[in-house]
Amino acid sequence: MDAAPKLNAAQMQAVTAPVGPLLVLAGAGTGKTRVVIARIAHLARRGNCPSRILAVTFTNKAAREMLGRANTLLQRKKDAPRPEISTIHSLCVRILRRHAARLGYPERFTIIDRGDQEGTARKVLKELKVPEATLRPADLLDRVSRWKSVGIRPDDAFANLSGDADESWELAAAGYRRYQQALRATGAVDFDDLLLVVDELFTTHEDARRQEASRFDHLLVDEYQDTSGIQERILAALARDHRSLCVVGDDDQSIYAWRGAQIAHILDFAHRWPGATVVRLEENYRSTPEIIKAANTLIAHNGRRHGKTLVSKAPSGVPPTIMQAQDEVDESQRVVSEVESLLREGATILAETAILVRTGEQTRVFEQELRRRDIAYELIGSRSFFDRREVKDVMAFLRLLVEPDDDLALSRIANVPPRGLSAHTIEKCRTAASLAGHSLWHELQAARAAGRLTAAAGTGIGMLERMVALRHGAAVAGAAETLRTLLDQADYRRHLDREYEEDLAEAEARWQCVEEVANALAHYEKAHGGGRDDEGFARLVRGFLDDLILEVTEAERHETDKEKGKGNKLRLMTLHAAKGLEFDCVWMVGMEEGILPHIRSLNDGLQAIDEERRLCYVGVTRARKRLSLSLCLTRMKWGKTKPCRPSRFLYELTGQAEKFQEQPAAPAAAPSPTKGKRPAKRVAKRR
């Protein structure tokens, strides 16, 4: 949007629209973030206090960017009120911190990460005597998340099973109840609970809803097409009284139905909010006219959508090209050869190139070819830094430091490094604690006092007590220094050295990850100010951990940590991961029936095909200057060569939809990029 020096007419209309329900239909590359920020500034200039303006987006990265740009536009002084801009999950954390007790949760509830979730799920399945061959912990969590995303509580899970649901779903429903009981017993919530519990709070405690709604006079929502049912209910509950609700989004880029997003929210907004103003942003500042023409032609084939046609404001460029390959190996060689040719010609740089796939398994042959040609690339979606064992250990140490009664944190590091507290001892004390209705920490101390533990275990508890005592006076020492002292007392560095004594480089790399957590904590302390006393220090650490867990889980949910996209490397990623990004040159590969559209959608009806078409549209509109689409005549399936059919989307985006017929796969030439001309094969010379 930087290419536009000022707001265009439609953007200005959206910014200055009267207070009340407002739907801004922002096509790809039309500057929606610019509009949201400009409207915040407009409301502030009209006399509205910035701190009474709430903007909600769906990633921490977007929230930080919007806040920074809003502060700049408002020319905000250091101590002046500022708008509240955050993800919906962060917003719900703050709401729950104020009202958790009403629903039986402790004020200092813990937000658990994926590792703790899987540990709890594994324990639940063990209690139910469910073998992993029948239901894995990850599968249980996936099904629990699906239920929670649509507001289904444990007691309702069985009733919502379809008649043909198999035994694993029934077991998952039983596991859901026990999983939730386990979380409640430890005063913990998972990522989905943040929304589920707030939804319950607003439904059952009207005074709490009014109290939270009264904190703001205006609500703006970005990426509205991605809202789930439970998210939309929470947002509507906050805006119901003042009705100053501005939602910004693009129904043509709604691609997360599998994660609970409901496109009906943006399609039916004007019906659900009578008197709503609707503004269309159609001037695209990202892509060439040739790319935008293909995108418009493609998406017009979707049935139910808001009518809008993008108009490119960029200079004319080369038409999109179609590349036909014999098989997946040939496809990877041709695509990477073309990348190499453009790099050699100086037509692009690696950081401005991307290869987009529909599914993760497609990346293998491209990785091999990129490595063979020594082209630097980044596979977006690789293992997160915060999934590393040593990072989880340090986070558990911090949680224990400020909340000794956190059973999950204590269970993780009670015997890390080994200090005489065996897994058997911990499990035995955990069971006793559960029966007595108090924490594991309380039970360990009581068991030692009663002489029920070995001398070694008693010594181990004493070591933990000394570590926990570090929170007294930590506000003076500072958060990072306190963490270093804690890890020194735990002898954690030597523990890593012993664990990886055969590979000292690995031990050092893991210790550097530990140091990085300390660095992040120091940055957080600097940004938010250090705690003035013990309780202030505890609040600081809890805030740091809350933000960390939210950001990690968000990265997992979006398949990628998009902030990793730095450095001069080609990006290899899924179409879902590419949403929100843009590149000069884009290759969309595997443009075949059964891949895009995906095989599942072919059996699920028109709505599923429409979502796949929107996904294809997202891919097309990632390209600024060059777009190449490739397909294979054959692919290897279980060791045998099978014929492929060109994707219907290739026919549609080239204006030849009438030539596509649904029939069994057979080798066929791809449609021509330009109607009426012979099929084009833009093929770089192979080495």
Side-chain angles (χ1 to χ4, degrees):
M1 197 41 220
D2 293 337
K6 60 182 181 180
L7 296 174
N8 62 40
Q11 290 172 335
M12 183 61 75
Q13 182 186 357
V15 168
T16 60
V19 169
L22 170 63
L23 169 61
V24 181
L25 293 168
T30 58
K32 66 180 179 62
T33 303
R34 181 190 183 102
V35 167
V36 172
I37 294 168
R39 183 162 176 84
I40 291 172
H42 174 75
L43 290 170
R45 292 188 185 115
R46 286 175 60 90
N48 295 280
C49 179
S51 63
R52 294 191 62 78
I53 301 173
L54 170 64
V56 174
T57 187
F58 285 85
T59 69
N60 283 294
K61 179 185 177 184
R64 287 193 297 267
E65 178 187 342
M66 287 175 64
L67 185 58
R69 289 170 63 177
N71 286 340
T72 299
L73 197 58
L74 289 168
Q75 297 180 326
R76 194 180 72 86
K77 296 179 180 178
K78 185 175 181 180
D79 297 324
R82 66 178 184 177
E84 188 163 318
I85 302 176
S86 73
T87 66
I88 190 167
H89 288 89
S90 295
L91 173 66
C92 286
V93 170
R94 294 192 294 275
I95 292 173
L96 285 182
R97 291 292 180 205
R98 291 188 283 267
H99 302 283
R102 289 178 178 237
L103 297 175
Y105 286 91
E107 180 184 344
R108 297 176 180 177
F109 62 83
T110 299
I111 307 169
I112 64 172
D113 62 13
R114 181 70 183 189
D116 287 335
Q117 282 185 271
E118 290 193 353
T120 304
R122 186 170 288 106
K123 181 173 179 290
V124 162
L125 292 175
K126 185 177 179 180
E127 290 173 353
L128 292 172
K129 295 182 171 54
V130 178
E132 287 208 9
T134 302
L135 186 66
R136 297 179 304 167
D139 294 330
L140 172 60
L141 292 176
D142 175 66
R143 294 173 187 186
V144 167
S145 181
R146 291 192 200 184
W147 278 316
K148 289 184 177 183
S149 69
V150 293
I152 295 175
R153 272 72 178 176
D155 292 341
D156 301 322
F158 276 107
N160 279 274
L161 293 177
S162 61
D164 58 352
D166 61 29
E167 180 191 13
S168 69
W169 277 96
E170 294 179 359
L171 291 170
Y176 181 13
R177 181 181 289 114
R178 289 216 184 186
Y179 170 79
Q180 211 61 16
Q181 288 171 347
L183 295 192
R184 291 295 293 262
T186 58
V189 296
D190 64 19
F191 197 66
D192 293 305
D193 281 330
L194 295 174
L195 304 183
L196 193 70
V197 179
V198 168
D199 183 46
E200 182 181 350
L201 174 72
F202 285 174
T203 302
T204 59
H205 294 80
E206 173 62 13
D207 59 329
R209 184 204 67 79
R210 285 197 304 269
Q211 181 182 337
E212 291 300 322
S214 69
R215 296 171 67 87
F216 304 101
D217 299 321
H218 307 278
L219 172 58
L220 300 91
V221 183
D222 192 17
E223 302 287 7
Y224 187 65
Q225 78 281 347
D226 292 337
T227 53
S228 67
I230 201 166
Q231 290 168 343
E232 201 279 335
R233 286 199 300 275
I234 291 170
L235 295 169
L238 291 172
R240 185 185 308 156
D241 301 332
H242 56 65
R243 285 178 53 83
S244 179
L245 173 63
C246 169
V247 301
V248 184
D250 183 7
D251 52 304
D252 290 335
Q253 296 186 73
S254 180
I255 60 173
Y256 294 118
W258 52 274
R259 210 164 62 198
Q262 296 181 23
I263 193 173
H265 294 157
I266 194 167
L267 292 176
D268 300 334
F269 181 82
H271 173 73
R272 289 182 296 105
W273 293 85
T277 302
V278 180
V279 179
R280 288 171 169 78
L281 305 183
E282 298 175 305
E283 294 186 14
N284 176 284
Y285 295 91
R286 176 189 299 160
S287 307
T288 64
E290 292 80 5
I291 293 171
I292 291 303
K293 179 182 178 182
N296 284 334
T297 307
L298 170 71
I299 202 62
H301 289 277
N302 264 14
R304 190 169 177 237
R305 61 185 287 263
H306 286 293
K308 56 185 175 299
T309 302
L310 296 184
V311 178
S312 172
K313 307 303 287 185
S316 183
V318 297
T321 60
I322 295 175
M323 181 188 295
Q324 189 169 273
Q326 185 60 43
D327 56 28
E328 60 266 41
V329 174
D330 185 36
E331 180 185 41
S332 69
Q333 292 171 345
R334 290 174 183 266
V335 168
V336 177
S337 180
E338 185 167 284
V339 172
E340 199 171 47
S341 295
L342 290 174
L343 292 170
R344 189 165 51 246
E345 295 165 7
T348 189
I349 60 173
L350 276 177
E352 290 297 342
T353 61
I355 298 174
L356 308 183
V357 301
R358 173 62 181 86
T359 57
E361 61 266 22
Q362 289 175 261
T363 65
R364 180 184 61 83
V365 289
F366 290 97
E367 287 197 80
Q368 289 177 333
E369 188 62 20
L370 288 164
R371 288 172 181 168
R372 188 177 74 80
R373 296 179 188 247
D374 198 26
I375 294 177
Y377 75 95
E378 182 175 19
L379 176 62
I380 302 294
S382 58
R383 185 184 180 205
S384 167
F385 168 83
F386 297 100
D387 275 337
R388 302 181 72 94
R389 189 180 71 178
E390 63 276 11
V391 174
K392 288 180 176 292
D393 285 347
V394 175
M395 291 169 68
F397 276 121
L398 283 171
R399 283 162 56 182
L400 189 67
L401 180 65
V402 298
E403 196 58 66
D405 290 328
D406 186 327
D407 286 4
L408 292 172
L410 179 55
S411 296
R412 181 177 185 90
I413 52 84
N415 206 42
V416 177
R419 54 175 67 89
L421 291 165
S422 66
H424 175 71
T425 298
I426 294 298
E427 189 58 34
K428 184 178 178 181
C429 288
R430 190 209 298 270
T431 301
S434 179
L435 291 173
H438 52 231
S439 70
L440 175 59
W441 179 240
H442 183 281
E443 179 61 28
L444 285 171
Q445 292 178 307
R448 181 187 59 178
R452 298 197 302 269
L453 298 180
T454 64
T459 300
I461 293 171
M463 295 169 67
L464 290 172
E465 287 175 332
R466 287 192 291 276
M467 284 189 279
V468 169
L470 288 173
R471 70 181 185 272
H472 302 303
V476 177
E481 185 58 35
T482 298
L483 175 58
R484 174 180 287 278
T485 303
L486 187 155
L487 294 173
D488 285 344
Q489 284 199 11
D491 208 14
Y492 193 73
R493 175 67 188 269
R494 186 176 297 180
H495 168 65
L496 290 178
D497 290 342
R498 284 195 299 264
E499 286 274 293
Y500 301 97
E501 60 184 1
E502 300 293 326
D503 188 349
L504 294 180
E506 177 68 8
E508 180 60 31
R510 289 179 178 271
W511 181 250
Q512 287 176 359
C513 288
V514 172
E515 290 183 340
E516 192 58 34
V517 177
N519 293 339
L521 180 58
H523 283 299
Y524 187 90
E525 184 178 36
K526 183 177 180 181
H528 293 79
R532 297 180 180 178
D533 52 23
D534 291 355
E535 183 54 36
F537 171 78
R539 281 197 300 271
L540 175 80
V541 174
R542 290 190 197 105
F544 171 73
L545 292 171
D546 282 353
D547 284 5
L548 214 55
I549 294 296
L550 289 171
E551 188 146 355
V552 172
T553 310
E554 173 208 314
E556 293 169 348
R557 286 295 179 90
H558 287 78
E559 298 189 314
T560 174
D561 179 355
K562 293 177 181 175
E563 292 210 62
K564 288 171 59 182
K566 298 175 181 177
N568 193 27
K569 297 178 182 179
L570 175 145
R571 312 296 171 215
L572 177 58
M573 68 180 83
T574 65
L575 288 161
H576 282 99
K579 187 172 182 290
L581 304 179
E582 56 188 75
F583 305 90
D584 282 348
C585 303
V586 169
W587 286 263
M588 290 176 61
V589 301
M591 295 294 295
E592 302 138 37
E593 290 289 296
I595 295 183
L596 187 66
H598 194 273
I599 185 65
R600 287 193 301 268
S601 69
L602 300 180
N603 302 317
D604 289 345
L606 288 178
Q607 288 187 354
I609 295 292
D610 281 355
E611 174 134 342
E612 291 289 298
R613 188 176 288 109
R614 292 193 293 269
L615 186 58
C616 184
Y617 174 84
V618 165
V620 169
T621 54
R622 297 313 93 196
R624 296 192 195 102
K625 300 176 181 178
R626 291 176 180 267
L627 173 66
S628 180
L629 307 115
S630 67
L631 71 154
C632 298
L633 293 175
T634 63
R635 283 186 183 270
M636 192 71 75
K637 300 288 183 183
W638 295 100
K640 295 181 180 180
T641 299
K642 300 288 186 181
C644 304
R645 291 188 64 224
S647 168
R648 68 190 69 196
F649 301 150
L650 285 175
Y651 291 92
E652 292 172 358
L653 62 84
T654 55
Q656 301 171 73
E658 72 282 354
K659 293 185 178 181
F660 176 80
Q661 294 180 351
E662 296 193 47
Q663 56 191 9
S672 168
T674 306
K675 189 174 181 180
K677 295 184 179 180
R678 59 182 296 195
K681 295 183 186 179
R682 168 119 184 243
V683 180
K685 292 181 180 179
R686 294 176 59 186
R687 290 176 131 188

